[in-house]
């Protein structure tokens, strides 16, 4: 999938905004459109949907040209589903009637197999007779996602679908979104400014900053970089995919193995051999020149310093270090004094120490 958009909104120096993005995106999985408020995420999504007509626009989805110098398919002719921050369900229709509306709108032959799979993945069979006002926020959003899927789109757009939900409802719906990723062969653009959501869901990521593409690539690759202009502050860290190799029921921990080592983390109830994602924040990584046994920190990973960069997020003299551990990377955040005392430089072997309680599930 290829997208190229150039769009500008006139205004004074404080109000003017320009979007200038060109990206190549995989034709499957979830691609997160990530950035801080005002970076152009929703504008980019509206261009994809055909709700904005940019000065320069090119969009090809699964070999089908939606937009070029000579072609501009209007929104209603683009085979896409759109999920907004609010569910936007028809309030006078039951959940089932909302789904029936999507089926009619799709213009494609009805598939009872798809219908049952959508109900199962979204877990909404029990709420079909209810009206939107009778549903919780999470239930409404799951019905809205189901409605978008039943259009049988070539592309699914999700614009901060969890933004209107409180923390408890977000945690309730995240597992359904994870099942959505693995249960349907539909490319998904997922707009968010939440690193936690992106870490849970995305396979690929586009990072926008002031209307420009600051980075693109696989999730693990982009978040392991320390040269990005986007500031993540206390959220700076990497995402590691591993497999549950062992459970220690006595201490409520599991051992997650990956290429480069293993980490003991809190037991989240995952089955043995199940693939899991974990986040290791830079602030939770300390470094030592030897593997110390006389410490409460059980996670010690032999690594190599590959890159050092001044941290611009803080007024104090902090440094970010990129460490290679097998095929994975870690980021450590240290003071310049610590870097000097340990004589750290690219190529130096170190031991990264990470508390089990600090690893984010």
């Amino acid at each position: 999938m290829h997208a190229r958009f150039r769009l500008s909104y006139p205004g004074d120096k404080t109000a003017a905004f320009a979007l200038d993005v060109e990206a190549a995106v995989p034709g499957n999985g979830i691609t997160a459109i990530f950035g801080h408020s005002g970076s152009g995420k929703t504008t980019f999504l509206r261009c994809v949907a055909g709700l904005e007509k940019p000065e320069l626009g090119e969009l090809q989805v699964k070999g089908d040209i939606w937009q070029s110098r000579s072609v501009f398919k209007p929104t209603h002719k683009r085979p896409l589903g759109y999920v907004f921050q609010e569910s936007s369900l028809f309030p006078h229709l039951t959940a089932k009637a909302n789904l029936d509306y999507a089926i009619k709108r799709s213009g494609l032959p009805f598939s009872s197999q798809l219908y049952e799979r959508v109900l199962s993945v979204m877990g909404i069979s029990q709420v079909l007779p209810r009206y939107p006002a009778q549903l919780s926020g999470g239930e409404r959003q799951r019905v809205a996602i189901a409605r978008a899927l039943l259009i049988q789109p070539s592309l699914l757009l999700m614009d901060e679908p969890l933004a209107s939900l409180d923390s408890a409802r977000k945690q309730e719906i995240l597992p359904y979104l994870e099942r959505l990723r693995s249960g349907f062969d539909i490319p998904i653009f997922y707009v968010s400014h939440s690193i936690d959501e992106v870490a849970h869901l995305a396979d690929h990521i586009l990072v926008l900053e002031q209307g420009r593409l600051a980075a693109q690539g696989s999730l693990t690759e982009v978040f392991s970089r320390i040269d990005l202009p986007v500031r993540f502050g206390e959220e700076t860290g990497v995402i590691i995919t591993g497999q549950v190799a062992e459970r220690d029921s006595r201490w409520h921990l599991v051992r997650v193995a990956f290429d480069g080592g293993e980490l003991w983390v809190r037991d989240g109830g995952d089955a043995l051999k199940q693939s899991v994602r974990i986040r290791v924040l830079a602030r939770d990584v300390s470094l030592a020149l030897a593997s110390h046994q006389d410490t409460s920190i059980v996670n010690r990973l032999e690594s190599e310093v590959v890159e050092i960069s001044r941290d611009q997020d803080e007024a104090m003299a902090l440094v970010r270090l990129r460490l290679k551990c097998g095929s994975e990377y870690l980021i450590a955040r240290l003071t310049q004094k610590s870097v000097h005392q340990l004589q750290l430089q690219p190529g130096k072997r170190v031991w990264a120490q990470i508390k089990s309680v600090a690893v984010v599930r």
Side-chain angles (χ1 to χ4, degrees):
M1 190 184 318
H2 176 262
R4 171 79 171 95
F5 300 116
R6 184 185 299 161
L7 175 69
S8 59
Y9 293 108
D12 57 29
K13 292 183 179 180
T14 59
F17 173 79
L19 178 77
D20 191 351
V21 173
E22 181 171 10
V25 181
N28 53 32
I30 296 180
T31 296
I33 315 300
F34 180 82
H36 301 306
S37 295
S39 60
K41 304 184 300 297
T42 295
T43 301
F44 176 82
L45 210 67
R46 288 177 58 84
C47 286
V48 172
L51 296 172
E52 298 278 359
K53 191 169 184 179
E55 301 138 22
L56 172 64
E58 298 172 4
L59 180 61
Q60 188 177 75
V61 180
K62 293 186 174 181
D64 185 18
I65 296 176
W66 291 11
Q67 195 167 337
S68 67
R69 293 184 182 276
S70 58
V71 174
F72 183 85
K73 286 189 176 182
T75 302
H76 68 277
K77 290 190 176 181
R78 300 187 183 199
L80 57 83
Y82 207 131
V83 180
F84 300 89
Q85 292 183 19
E86 299 292 341
S87 63
S88 302
L89 298 176
F90 296 116
H92 62 290
L93 298 179
T94 64
K96 184 180 184 304
N98 270 276
L99 300 186
D100 291 341
Y101 173 83
I103 293 170
K104 292 177 182 177
R105 178 176 172 262
S106 74
L108 298 172
F110 173 73
S111 168
S112 58
Q113 184 178 9
L114 173 64
Y115 186 79
E116 293 302 324
R117 185 150 54 96
V118 168
L119 296 187
S120 175
V121 170
M122 288 293 104
I124 57 173
S125 296
Q126 302 301 316
V127 306
L128 293 182
R130 303 180 197 168
Y131 288 88
Q134 298 171 312
L135 303 176
S136 69
E139 289 169 339
R140 283 196 297 272
Q141 204 63 315
R142 280 152 51 198
V143 172
I145 295 169
R147 183 176 64 176
L149 290 171
L150 289 172
I151 295 173
Q152 302 185 51
S154 297
L155 177 63
L156 180 60
L157 308 180
M158 307 184 79
D159 189 1
E160 302 206 53
L162 307 187
S164 64
L165 304 179
D166 59 32
S167 179
R169 299 291 79 75
K170 286 181 181 180
Q171 294 307 312
E172 167 197 311
I173 200 173
L174 272 173
Y176 293 100
L177 295 180
E178 290 173 339
R179 292 164 64 186
L180 170 64
R181 180 185 63 206
S182 59
F184 296 90
D185 187 24
I186 302 172
I188 300 170
F189 280 172
Y190 188 97
V191 165
S192 179
H193 64 269
S194 166
I195 293 181
D196 185 55
E197 289 176 32
V198 170
H200 272 90
L201 301 172
D203 305 293
H204 189 84
I205 186 169
L206 306 181
V207 181
L208 300 188
E209 176 76 357
Q210 296 180 346
R212 302 294 189 273
L213 187 63
Q216 66 175 316
S218 71
L219 190 69
T220 53
E221 171 196 347
V222 170
F223 275 97
S224 70
R225 289 175 54 180
I226 61 175
D227 62 339
L228 294 179
V230 180
R231 298 181 180 183
F232 299 134
E234 293 299 308
E235 297 284 353
T236 299
V238 301
I239 298 159
I240 294 175
T241 300
Q243 188 178 76
V244 178
E246 182 183 350
R247 170 168 281 106
D248 189 331
S249 300
R250 180 183 181 186
W251 306 116
H252 306 289
L253 298 171
V254 292
R255 178 169 60 87
V256 176
F258 59 95
D259 180 23
E262 57 187 35
L263 290 169
W264 284 97
V265 303
R266 286 173 289 182
D267 189 350
D270 305 289
L272 291 177
K273 298 185 179 181
Q274 183 172 334
S275 177
V276 294
R277 289 184 181 186
I278 53 179
R279 287 176 62 206
V280 179
L281 300 180
R283 68 188 185 198
D284 298 321
V285 178
S286 64
L287 301 183
L289 300 182
S291 178
H292 295 282
Q293 304 296 321
D294 56 341
T295 173
S296 64
I297 301 177
V298 298
N299 292 319
R300 297 182 295 277
L301 300 172
E302 189 173 9
S303 310
E304 178 186 348
V305 178
V306 294
E307 189 178 356
I308 300 177
S309 175
R310 181 72 178 268
D311 194 326
Q312 299 178 349
D313 287 338
E314 298 286 346
M316 59 188 298
L318 295 180
V319 173
R320 286 174 290 176
L321 296 93
R322 191 177 192 228
L323 313 169
K324 188 169 179 59
C325 181
S327 62
E328 300 286 352
Y329 290 90
L330 296 170
I331 297 176
R333 206 175 188 196
L334 308 177
T335 63
Q336 289 189 37
K337 181 178 180 180
S338 294
V339 172
H340 174 74
Q341 286 183 336
L342 296 178
Q343 298 182 353
L344 299 177
Q345 58 186 346
K348 186 139 188 172
R349 304 294 298 183
V350 295
W351 288 86
Q353 304 176 130
I354 308 157
K355 290 183 178 181
S356 296
V357 296
V359 178
V360 181
R361 294 297 306 274

